[in-house]
Amino acid sequence: MKMVYTNESQFLVTNVRNLIEAQDIKTFLKNEFAQGAVGEISAFDSWPEVWIFEDSDFEQASQIATNSQVINKGEDWKCKQCAESNDASFEICWNCQGDNVK
C-alpha cells in the first residue's frame, strides 16, 4: 500500500480518489474524519490521504493525481463580430454575446 495524494481539502482528495477509481484502481481514504482532531494532533497529520492497495498501480495513480491538479487554461479568443478579446473560459463574447466559433 502506498499513499498517492494528500491535501487539506476533503473535496480535492475525494476528487482525486474518484478519478483514480474510475481507472479500476482500488483505493482507500485515510484520515477521512480526522480533521475534527486538529488541536489534539498536528494539522498536517489530519489531512485526508488517498492510498492505493496495489503497489504496481502507484505510477498510474500518481500520474492521475498530478494531472488532476494541472490548470488547463486554453487560449484567449477574439470575437469575430466585435473584435473584442475574450478569456478562454467564455463561450460567448462578453461584449456583444457573439459565439466563439473559430
Side-chain angles (χ1 to χ4, degrees), residues 1-22 25-32 44 46-55 57-58 60-66 68-69:
M1 291 191 286
K2 291 186 176 183
M3 183 181 69
V4 177
Y5 182 77
T6 186
N7 192 293
E8 65 183 322
S9 168
Q10 182 75 35
F11 174 77
L12 293 177
V13 172
T14 303
N15 184 53
V16 168
R17 178 186 186 192
N18 291 339
L19 292 171
I20 292 170
E21 287 184 345
I25 298 173
K26 293 182 182 179
T27 69
F28 71 96
L29 289 180
K30 182 179 175 189
N31 298 337
E32 186 174 8
F44 296 113
S46 70
W47 284 14
E49 303 169 344
V50 178
W51 287 67
I52 56 168
F53 286 98
E54 299 295 328
D55 291 351
D57 292 327
F58 182 74
Q60 182 182 5
S62 293
Q63 190 62 45
I64 293 167
T66 301
S68 74
Q69 303 306 303

